[in-house]
Amino acid sequence: MLTDNDHNTTLYRKWLLLAILSLLLAGLLTFIIVFSRTPIIKEFFILKNFFAKALISHVNLSQLFWTLTIGVVVTITYIKQQLFSFHILFYIALIAIFLIFISPFLDSGTAILNNYIPIIDNLPFTVSISLFMTIILLFSCYCIISQRSFLSGDHIGILLYAYHIVIIISYLNYFSSLRFIENLTEITEYYEIMFWSFGHVMQFAYVILMVIAWFILIKSANCRIIFTRKSILIIVFSYVAIAFISIIPYVVKDISLEQFKLFFTRHMIYGCSFLAIIIAIGLIYTAFDKNIYKSSIENRVLLNSVLGSFLLFFYGGLLGLKITGNNTIIPAHYHGQAVGITIALIGLVYYYLPRFGYGSVKSKLAMWQPILYTIGQFIHISGLAISGGYGALRKSPDAIYGFNAQFWMGIMGFGGFITLISGVMFFVICYKSINYRTANG
């Protein structure tokens, strides 16, 4: 456990609290999103006109900001080195999170519901995204250049180095894709293509971070890991090589826009889950150790997060195989996988809180929170997927056809409500842990 005498502790706490804040703000926006789509309730919900903008900020806070901020937390705790620049980057990230949260509630700006990084066309949102993307790029460049010792470290070090390489690859894709938008005039397509390759490749980085969380949590629960350092090197850098294949469209001449989009869609379908599948198969061995779950409540908290992450990530992947049109099966698919990653990162928060000097996280509330979150999301995305089969359109809460679609959208809302409860539980658990340190000096 870290103490206040550790000069790095304050830095670690700042970034961890920033990650929690980004998820908290995304959760607050969830109320607008879920109730704007739930039949009957939406007729009386006074904020339903904010649906599109709230959705945009929610997506960016709960994906881009939350995930990459946790990535910073894991990295700086592994580096164990305090740099003044890390503090500067923290305050810039804090400003960015504040700006993106307030941007939906301003009168200015149009909601542009493109994929990966949807946009609100106003100044606070633009400044927010620009600041945050810049500091993440600088941070990953620093890690790649100055932290090559990661490669001679343990499993986590190897995965972290690969994580930052993939982030750099995603940025290379972003800058390379700018030539494809030169002649685009339709605003949604303009931003869609701008972030298309960047967003697809960034999913590879998210998967690596999820696997890092699995390893940290399983190791913390004293579970055996069958992967050797050499096998991890081979597996992880095979995965990096798959991510690096994404540069092909930029070296092929005369590639059409449709071919460009199709390439990255197939690249993600066939490549993105490779690492998670291989590691999950290997970690199944751990499940046969009957004593790991019974040893302590803290172990149950961490392992419930891993299990929920496993189930939702792969369920979301299976739903992706059912996508046939522009309906709600698409958000069901990526919500499953995205929340699978989020639950793993929530487990990391529970792991880090006591190690950063806050109160222990080993209550029954903490043990049940990942379970409830998983159940709520299973119901939520199942309702979305089935209603999509009955004609419910993606990103259009009012375009629902027939009783069956209405019914399953109601089930979606019920699952969303359970998820909201589990989200509140998460923040209560975090508050109790943080407040314990405050109350005890």
Side-chain angles (χ1 to χ4, degrees), residues 51-214:
F51 170 81
K53 289 183 179 181
L55 176 63
I56 289 169
S57 286
H58 166 81
V59 168
N60 285 292
L61 282 167
S62 62
Q63 294 301 301
L64 191 72
F65 283 74
W66 152 255
T67 308
L68 295 180
T69 302
I70 288 288
V72 173
V73 173
V74 179
T75 304
I76 61 177
T77 54
Y78 196 85
I79 292 174
K80 296 180 181 178
Q81 178 184 6
Q82 180 169 250
L83 295 177
F84 179 71
S85 59
F86 291 171
H87 289 279
I88 298 298
L89 295 181
F90 164 79
Y91 288 109
I92 296 173
L94 180 61
I95 292 169
I97 286 177
F98 171 74
L99 290 174
I100 201 169
F101 179 72
I102 66 169
S103 58
F105 303 102
L106 303 177
D107 291 334
S108 62
T110 303
I112 305 166
L113 293 168
N114 55 289
N115 287 296
Y116 293 115
I117 302 184
I119 298 293
I120 300 174
D121 190 17
N122 62 27
L123 182 60
F125 186 93
T126 303
V127 171
S128 170
I129 290 294
S130 300
L131 286 175
F132 191 75
M133 287 180 64
T134 299
I135 65 173
I136 293 299
L137 174 60
L138 293 174
F139 183 74
S140 289
C141 286
Y142 164 80
C143 292
I144 296 302
I145 296 169
S146 302
Q147 301 298 323
R148 289 188 291 274
S149 60
F150 280 10
L151 292 174
S152 58
D154 57 11
H155 297 48
I156 306 304
I158 294 167
L159 284 160
L160 275 174
Y161 200 79
Y163 166 76
H164 289 290
I165 289 175
V166 173
I167 287 179
I168 298 301
I169 293 172
S170 70
Y171 276 85
L172 290 175
N173 274 273
Y174 169 76
F175 292 119
S176 299
S177 68
L178 297 181
R179 71 181 175 92
F180 286 96
I181 64 175
E182 293 175 351
N183 299 318
L184 298 178
T185 56
E186 202 278 317
I187 192 68
T188 301
E189 186 181 29
Y190 178 89
Y191 285 112
E192 181 93 335
I193 300 304
M194 177 184 288
F195 294 113
W196 188 256
S197 55
F198 171 84
H200 275 74
V201 178
M202 188 60 79
Q203 306 309 304
F204 285 71
Y206 292 170
V207 170
I208 295 175
L209 192 57
M210 177 180 68
V211 170
I212 289 172
W214 290 352

Side-chain angles (χ1 to χ4, degrees), residues 217 220-221 297-306 347 350-351:
L217 299 178
S220 177
I297 291 180
E298 185 178 12
N299 280 7
R300 295 180 190 181
V301 172
L302 302 182
L303 292 175
N304 284 349
S305 299
V306 175
Y350 292 154
Y351 168 82

